[in-house]
Amino acid sequence: MSSPDSPAAGGDVLAALGAHRIVPVVVVEGAADGARLADALVAGGLPVAEITLRTAGGVEAIRAVVAAQPDVVVGAGTVTRADQVDAVADAGARYVVSPGLSRAVVERCAEHGLPVLPGVASPTEIMAALDLGIDVVKLFPASVVGGPAAIKAFSAPFPGLRFVPTGGVNAGNLGEYLGLAPVLAVGGSWMVDKKLVDAGDWAEITRRTAEAVALAHPESKES
Ligand code: 3PG
């Protein structure tokens, strides 16, 4: 099995997530809202979306955004079963995120050449992920398992492991996470709150997205 970081397994996608530094965790009901949301994210300067399978329309939303916005780095979130990996690969997802660590999900992603960010919340789960060849994990739920302090503590025995903390991340604390060297990017739903999506408040989504991008890239603001 190739390393998930190798170009063949989508290392370029992980590099893109690391460059953007934020992965919006999206819940939409279907294709139309998915496409509008992608437009709002792009307008805010963040062409990245993790579209979750928490709604029946999640897979179709992925397919719609891939078709309408080929420059958006579209991933599938809340993937818990191998058959869902097949569905999101068919829809064009470029990476997979899971709330926990499933060998079946990780192996099916490898078959499709899709990078996968499995969720971990303990050293034992990290070791299981490393055994499967994973070197970037989603720390979930980050705020519950200890926040930035947990990342510092987990990094000591696992040098080289990179984290995408998700769960409780927001505009007020993303800087603390992104200031840690092992953090590749942060994930979160605050800028794409489902209430805003349901209300069609794309302008507020764009505003929150632009704010998050500015916070994640303070160096570009100074220049
Ligand atoms: C996820 O599954 O990644 C989380 O629901 C996102 O967490 P948040 O809603 O606290 O940002």
Side-chain angles (χ1 to χ4, degrees):
M1 188 172 96
S2 61
S3 153
D5 251 3
S6 69
D12 55 333
V13 175
L14 294 180
L17 300 184
H20 290 294
R21 308 226 73 196
I22 306 172
V23 182
V25 178
V26 170
V27 180
V28 286
E29 297 296 335
D33 276 355
R36 285 193 200 100
L37 184 76
D39 284 341
L41 288 169
V42 169
L46 187 57
V48 178
E50 172 195 327
I51 300 179
T52 65
L53 302 193
R54 289 176 207 184
T55 62
V59 172
E60 287 320 305
I62 292 169
R63 198 182 304 282
V65 177
V66 168
Q69 293 273 16
D71 295 337
V72 177
V73 189
V74 182
T78 322
V79 173
T80 58
R81 302 190 316 265
D83 64 291
Q84 292 174 319
V85 178
D86 297 334
V88 303
D90 180 68
R94 293 174 62 196
Y95 59 99
V96 166
V97 185
S98 188
L101 178 67
S102 155
R103 170 184 283 271
V105 166
V106 170
E107 290 181 347
R108 191 64 61 87
C109 285
E111 284 168 27
H112 285 286
L114 282 175
V116 54
L117 303 173
V120 300
S122 72
T124 300
E125 292 161 16
I126 289 172
M127 288 170 67
L130 293 172
D131 279 348
L132 292 173
I134 298 290
D135 58 12
V136 183
V137 291
K138 164 175 170 159
L139 182 71
F140 181 75
S143 61
V144 175
V145 303
I151 292 172
K152 284 185 205 158
F154 286 157
S155 295
F158 304 112
L161 183 66
R162 284 171 300 163
F163 296 86
V164 180
T166 307
V169 180
N170 54 49
N173 63 15
L174 76 87
E176 276 178 73
Y177 285 104
L178 291 176
L180 301 174
V183 172
L184 179 75
V186 294
S189 65
W190 79 95
M191 84 285 282
V192 289
D193 192 320
K194 178 83 162 51
K195 289 191 208 90
L196 297 174
V197 174
D198 290 343
D201 195 349
W202 313 112
E204 175 62 8
I205 290 172
T206 293
R207 190 197 68 75
R208 289 189 191 186
T209 302
E211 174 191 58
V213 168
L215 289 167
H217 301 274
E219 68 289 349
S220 3
K221 219 165 97 187
E222 280 156 22
S223 62

